[in-house]
Amino acid sequence: MTSPHLASTSIRVAEIARALADQPIDRDELPAEVVAELRATGLYRLCLPAELGGHSLPLPETVSIIERLSYADGSTGWCTVVANVSASLLAGVAESEARLIAADPESLLIAGGFPPIGQAEQVGDSYRLSGRWPFASGCLTADWFLGGVMVAPVDGGAPAPRVAFFPASEARIIRNWDVIGLRATGSHDVAAEQITVPMRRTTTLFGGPRWSNDPIAAIPFFALSPLLAAVPLGIAQRAVDELGQLATTRVPLGQRQSIAHDPAFQDQLGTVLARLGALRAYLLDSADTLWHSALTGAVTPPIQASTSMVAAEAIETALAAVHFAHRAGGTTSIRNPSVLTRCLNDVLAASRHAVFRPTARRNAARALLGLPLD
C-alpha cells in the first residue's frame, strides 16, 4: 500500500474513531468498528517488517498518521503505536517464528508488556515462563501477546531479560483498567502461568541480531519514542482547536464579549499554538533523521538521545496546552461529556509512561555530552 493511500485511509479511520469517541459512553476497550478498520486498512502494520507484510512506511509519515489518529481519539492513537512497536520486534525473533506469528498479517494484532517482570527457565530448546504484565494496551482484541521475562541461566549466572511471544489463547486477561485517561486503550493486565515458548520465539529489546532488511529493524526499541510522542501532540492539538471554537461563544461572567476578544487570552493562545507548531516540526525532523540513519544502519547514540529529548518535550508541551485549554474553557470544560476534559485526562495518563519519565531530557543531554546515563 502506497504512502498517499495510507495517509488518506488514516483520515477515514480517524473520522470513525472521532465519531465513536465523542459519544457519551465509557469504554475500557476500543470500539470493535475502530479495531476492524485499523486491521483492514493496515494501520497496525506500519512498523511490521516488510518481509512479513508490513508497509515499510518512512517514520515521519507514520508519526503523522499517529498524530492524526490521536487527534481524533487518544486511545486509538495509543493502541496503534503499541501494536506497531510490538510488531517491529518480530525482526528479532527467528524468521521462521516471525512468519508463524505473522502468517495472516492483515489480522495481526500484538499486545502485552515489555518490562521483564515475568520469570522464565530454560527447558530444552524452550522456555517455561510465568508472569503478569500490566498496561497491555489493546489486549482484549489481540491474537498474540508478548511479555518481558528474566531468564534464569542454566549455569547459575545472572538472569537475562528477554521478550517472549505467545498466542493470546495461552494467557488470561485480568480486566482491571480503571483510570481517568486513555480509558479505551483497554490496558488491562495479561497473565500467563507455566506456558512453553520456543527460545527462537523470543528476542531482546537492546541489541541482538535482526534478520529483516527493513529499516525499522535497525531502529533500537527505545528510539521509536517519536511514535509515542505523536500521541500527546495530537491530543493537545485537538484540545486547542476545540477551545478555538468555544472561545467565540464563551462570554465570562461580567464580560460583554467572548474570550476570543480578550488580548490576554489571544497572547496565551498564540504562545500555545507556536509551541505546538514548533514541537511538530521538531518531532518530524527527529523522526526523519532517525529514519535516514536506519536506512544506512547507523543509528548512533546521539541520534537515539535526540528521540528521548523530543519525547520529553512532547509531553511537557502537550500538558501545558491541555491545561491551558481546559482552564480557558471555564465551566464548559467541567460538564460531561467534555472533549476538553477527555483530552486533559488522556495526556495526564500518557505522561506516566516510562518514555515520558522526567529523566528523559536529562539523559538525552548526558548522552550528547558523552556522559553515562543516570
Side-chain angles (χ1 to χ4, degrees), residues 44-57:
Y44 282 148
R45 292 183 282 132
L46 301 175
C47 296
L48 180 70
E51 297 92 340
L52 301 177
H55 297 299
S56 197
L57 192 68

Side-chain angles (χ1 to χ4, degrees), residues 79-367:
C79 285
T80 305
V81 171
V82 172
N84 274 285
V85 171
S86 299
S88 74
L89 289 177
L90 291 179
V93 306
E95 183 176 356
S96 59
E97 294 292 339
R99 292 189 179 279
L100 172 67
I101 295 170
D104 184 7
E106 293 184 0
S107 66
L108 179 65
L109 175 52
I110 306 172
F114 303 100
I117 55 179
Q119 301 81 41
E121 60 177 349
Q122 184 176 341
V123 180
D125 59 357
S126 298
Y127 293 128
R128 182 179 293 118
L129 63 86
S130 298
R132 176 168 172 169
W133 297 271
F135 309 114
S137 302
C139 62
L140 289 169
T141 50
D143 43 10
W144 282 84
F145 289 150
L146 58 77
V149 295
M150 294 300 292
V151 179
V154 294
D155 58 2
R162 295 194 71 78
V163 175
F165 290 80
F166 46 93
S169 59
E170 295 183 3
R172 61 189 177 93
I173 296 171
I174 297 93
R175 204 156 181 164
N176 61 350
W177 184 241
D178 187 9
V179 292
I180 63 167
L182 296 176
R183 284 276 296 150
T185 60
S187 303
H188 305 285
D189 288 11
V190 166
E193 298 176 6
Q194 295 294 301
I195 64 172
T196 300
V197 175
M199 294 174 62
R200 291 166 53 81
R201 203 188 296 159
T202 69
T203 185
T204 62
L205 291 182
F206 308 101
R210 298 290 187 262
W211 58 267
S212 171
N213 291 317
D214 192 310
I216 199 70
I219 300 178
F221 175 73
F222 280 110
L224 287 170
S225 55
L227 295 178
L228 209 58
V231 176
L233 172 59
I235 299 170
Q237 187 65 60
R238 171 73 182 278
V240 173
D241 288 352
E242 292 284 335
L243 175 63
Q245 296 179 29
L246 174 62
T248 61
T249 58
R250 179 180 171 249
V251 180
L253 184 65
Q255 302 296 315
R256 294 184 177 182
Q257 290 183 306
S258 69
I259 59 172
H261 297 278
D262 182 350
F265 171 77
Q266 295 166 2
D267 287 343
Q268 290 176 298
L269 179 61
T271 298
V272 169
L273 288 172
R275 285 194 65 185
L276 288 175
L279 170 61
R280 182 174 295 105
Y282 182 23
L283 178 57
L284 291 173
D285 181 70
S286 176
D288 185 65
T289 300
L290 177 62
W291 184 253
H292 280 90
S293 299
L295 288 172
T296 64
V299 181
T300 62
I303 291 174
Q304 294 182 52
S306 70
T307 65
S308 295
M309 190 84 79
V310 75
E313 185 61 29
I315 200 63
E316 293 301 322
T317 300
L319 281 169
V322 294
H323 274 294
F324 164 71
H326 197 272
R327 184 172 60 252
T331 56
T332 302
S333 303
I334 65 173
R335 298 182 183 277
N336 287 321
S338 168
V339 173
L340 288 175
T341 294
R342 191 179 81 224
C343 289
L344 173 64
N345 288 341
D346 282 354
V347 174
L348 283 171
S351 71
R352 303 310 196 261
H353 192 277
V355 164
F356 302 123
R357 63 196 183 283
T359 58
R361 184 184 286 106
R362 184 194 319 143
N363 275 332
R366 290 180 67 86

